[in-house]
Amino acid sequence: MSAEVGAGSAQRRAIRVTVNGVVYERVVEPRLLLSDFLRHELGLTGTHVGCEHGVCGACTVLVNGEPARSCLMLAVQADGLAIETVESLAPDEERLHPLQQAFWDRHGLQCGFCTPGLLMLLKSFLAENPSPSEEEVREAISGNLCRCTGYQNIVAAALEAARLLREPVAG
Amino acid sequence: MKPPRFQYHVPESLDEALGLLAELGADAKPLAGGQSLVPLLNMRLARPGHLLDLNRVAELDYLTERDGGLALGAMTRQRAVERSALIRDRCPLLAQAIRYVGHLPIRTRGTIGGSVAHADPAAELPGVLAALDGRITLQSRSSTRVLDPADFFLGVLASAATPEELVTEIWLPAVPERTGQVWLEVARRHGDYALVGLGASVTLDGDGTISEARLALIGVGPVPVRARRAEERLRGEWPATSLFREAGRLVSAEIQPETDVHATSEYRRRVAAVLTERALAEATRQITRETVE
Ligand SMILES: Cc1cc2nc3c(=O)[nH]c(=O)nc-3n(C[C@H](O)[C@H](O)[C@H](O)COP(=O)(O)OP(=O)(O)OC[C@H]3O[C@@H](n4cnc5c(N)ncnc54)[C@H](O)[C@@H]3O)c2cc1C
Ligand code: FES
Ligand code: FES
């Protein structure tokens, strides 16, 4: 549980958050957004920030396995919770996660601004729906804006990733 | 963007939360899912001195059968409602409507109580409460009240809750026998706030006539609207396409939607009529399908 540190107008709290399996302990102001905590305090700049009012989906991360807007959560609210960001996907420097591979192969990104949010959303969506229809994919990603691709290739990449995740290639 | 400074409180029980609210009064805001409040903080449209985070009040997170219906704690996530087999079985109108609330990553955090307390005129949950004559429980340190939707929703983003009260529960009646329930809406994009949304519940008598019809609309006024004249017209009649068309005409005549940047008043009336006709047809189809099976 987060504890109050110091008094006065700049109330700060000690928090303990697990991000991509690593436990971080920090003292933060309650008004610090989770998105800014990840980017500025932890240097995990893979989580992008677009609108900062919940509309674009670029900042989507997993909170205890569920996709959520990190711009609509306070860092202090993540105390004791497990956060996953896009940095957790690739197993190492050489290899990509099947979702990333599918986005690469199917041209699911152009500028890449929306990509981290889409990847994290799709990670949890495909875990719950391993064989989605095209329509279900479109509904699932309806809250993630992309200004480049026209979505066609994102949907194709999501369906391809679903296939890859269902039938992992040996080796 | 950064929210303005505030003092942060994390009560771990309802008693503690209500005690803090009684002390801090109007300078405190409850923080539920944050899906409406945090955008307001980020844009500095809200500047509360104190935030009361309800996310650790576990006793407000439940979904259970009670008094011939379903009781949902205020901190129940919208996503939990969407996943619930009990809701699908006992309250199909809510099960359908919840999928229109924002997008998947909004519903994982957004709560039942937050959506009701926020009282957005285009929000689905207030529409479901109005359609089914649900009830809203408000608690303060010293009192508990149970209100009908008509007494709770007072205007655009305005409810009967005082600064010292929390919405603690909503209650919805279970779907009766021989009843079809349908939620339909039109929005620019799936998950956007509705231009017009409609909840319909139709019950047929043993002889096949309509014994009860309920129609509630969102997005067409400052609060959810019941289409009483159309409901009246439907009762006691045999279901028929011509009857449903007439009900649609009555609905579009009795609502008073405004023109805004999203749509004209005239367009909203037209959509309301079409949705009424479709929802009534689908609701009665559901009942006949059930009896045939
Ligand atoms: C991109 C986007 C799209 C959306 N689309 C839709 C949509 O189509 N339909 C829809 O219905 N909603 C939509 N929403 C809003 C969403 O449903 C919110 O979850 C909901 O309106 C507020 O619930 P919350 O739990 O997040 O509450 P919060 O944002 O935490 O709180 C909202 C307000 O209610 C007060 N409050 C919260 N809980 C209580 C309580 N228990 N007692 C008293 N006061 C309380 C808060 O102080 C605040 O004023 C959307 C949101 C976003 C960001
Ligand atoms: S930055 Fe969070 S939704 Fe746009
Ligand atoms: S790839 Fe540029 S916004 Fe999606």
Side-chain angles (χ1 to χ4, degrees):
Chain A
M1 216 46 36
S2 72
E4 205 163 314
V5 178
S9 58
Q11 175 205 30
R12 291 164 72 82
R13 296 181 81 88
I15 58 169
R16 191 185 152 91
V17 187
T18 306
V19 182
N20 303 332
V22 180
V23 177
Y24 295 90
E25 293 186 0
R26 291 287 190 281
V27 177
V28 298
E29 246 194 293
R31 63 170 168 162
L32 180 68
L33 298 175
L34 177 60
S35 45
D36 287 341
F37 175 75
L38 294 170
R39 292 175 54 85
H40 304 317
E41 290 280 328
L42 306 187
L44 295 171
T45 51
T47 298
H48 290 171
V49 161
C51 66
E52 300 194 271
H53 59 272
V55 174
C56 75
C59 68
T60 307
V61 300
L62 303 188
V63 178
N64 284 356
E66 299 263 30
R69 310 293 209 220
S70 59
C71 74
L72 299 187
M73 261 183 87
L74 305 170
V76 289
Q77 293 187 292
D79 182 39
L81 306 185
I83 309 294
E84 290 167 68
T85 70
V86 70
E87 285 91 346
S88 69
L89 287 181
D92 55 49
E93 300 271 308
E94 304 296 319
R95 290 175 299 162
L96 294 175
H97 184 278
L99 263 166
Q100 293 169 311
Q101 191 62 51
F103 267 66
W104 177 292
D105 292 340
R106 296 283 168 157
H107 305 286
L109 67 153
Q110 288 176 27
C111 79
F113 196 84
C114 65
T115 315
L118 275 159
L119 292 173
M120 296 319 287
L121 175 86
L122 285 167
K123 184 185 175 193
S124 94
F125 172 72
L126 293 180
E128 213 173 317
N129 309 273
S131 313
S133 66
E134 178 178 336
E135 203 183 316
E136 286 165 340
V137 169
R138 286 186 185 276
E139 185 181 326
I141 66 169
S142 63
N144 288 65
L145 300 183
C146 175
R147 297 290 79 157
C148 302
T149 64
Y151 301 99
Q152 209 61 34
N153 291 346
I154 293 176
V155 174
L159 292 169
E160 166 92 355
R163 264 193 303 278
L164 290 174
L165 288 163
R166 280 198 308 269
E167 312 148 11
V169 193
Chain B
M1 269 193 265
K2 227 186 225 165
R5 274 211 181 93
F6 51 79
Q7 293 281 321
Y8 177 73
H9 309 266
V10 225
E12 293 189 18
S13 70
L14 180 58
D15 274 350
E16 193 186 343
L18 295 175
L20 278 163
L21 266 188
E23 255 168 59
L24 302 168
D27 199 26
K29 272 230 157 254
L31 172 62
Q35 302 302 294
S36 297
L37 181 53
V38 178
L40 294 174
L41 294 173
N42 287 355
M43 294 185 276
R44 302 209 169 188
L45 294 170
R47 295 172 165 274
H50 299 264
L51 270 196
L52 202 70
D53 189 346
L54 301 178
N55 285 276
R56 312 261 164 175
V57 183
E59 69 201 273
L60 287 180
D61 181 0
Y62 58 86
L63 198 167
T64 178
E65 286 189 272
R66 190 189 307 148
D67 303 335
L70 293 166
L72 288 85
M75 286 305 291
T76 307
R77 306 280 172 195
Q78 293 152 7
R79 183 77 175 136
V81 171
E82 185 180 351
R83 284 193 177 125
S84 162
L86 184 66
I87 299 276
R88 267 196 299 279
D89 185 45
R90 313 288 286 161
C91 194
L93 188 65
L94 177 59
Q96 294 168 58
I98 202 78
R99 303 193 49 157
Y100 289 94
V101 176
H103 314 277
L104 169 64
I106 305 288
R107 297 191 293 269
T108 54
R109 298 287 303 166
T111 66
I112 297 300
S115 179
V116 171
H118 195 56
D120 191 291
E124 286 78 11
L125 276 159
V128 172
L129 277 162
L132 302 181
D133 287 318
R135 294 199 288 266
I136 299 124
T137 303
L138 291 168
Q139 269 182 264
S140 73
R141 187 162 63 181
S142 52
S143 73
T144 300
R145 342 185 247 158
V146 180
L147 296 186
D148 294 333
D151 296 323
F152 179 83
F153 297 107
L154 300 181
V156 176
L157 306 184
S159 82
T162 67
E164 296 192 1
E165 284 177 316
L166 285 178
V167 171
T168 52
E169 181 179 290
I170 69 161
W171 179 88
L172 291 165
V175 60
E177 292 285 297
R178 292 179 61 75
T179 299
Q181 295 187 338
V182 176
W183 185 272
L184 290 178
E185 70 179 55
V186 167
R188 286 296 299 271
R189 202 171 49 131
H190 184 97
D192 286 357
Y193 276 105
L195 294 177
V196 180
L198 171 96
S201 180
V202 177
T203 306
L204 296 189
D205 239 337
D207 68 358
T209 57
I210 297 171
S211 56
E212 178 67 301
R214 295 153 172 280
L215 295 165
L217 294 104
I218 58 166
V220 300
V223 295
V225 186
R226 277 288 282 277
R228 305 272 179 195
R229 256 187 285 164
E231 291 177 1
E232 190 80 9
R233 178 71 188 84
L234 290 161
R235 266 178 225 126
E237 298 287 335
W238 298 94
T241 310
S242 55
L243 177 71
F244 297 159
R245 189 161 306 147
E246 194 190 334
R249 273 198 299 271
L250 285 171
V251 167
S252 76
E254 72 183 297
I255 57 175
Q256 288 168 340
E258 302 223 353
T259 293
D260 61 22
V261 289
H262 304 294
T264 62
S265 164
E266 201 178 314
Y267 175 75
R268 285 193 160 97
R269 279 186 207 277
R270 176 85 195 108
V271 170
V274 173
L275 293 185
T276 302
E277 206 179 317
R278 280 188 201 156
L280 290 170
E282 176 54 28
T284 39
R285 240 192 322 265
Q286 281 180 6
I287 308 168
T288 18
R289 255 204 312 267
E290 240 168 53
T291 20
V292 172
E293 270 167 18

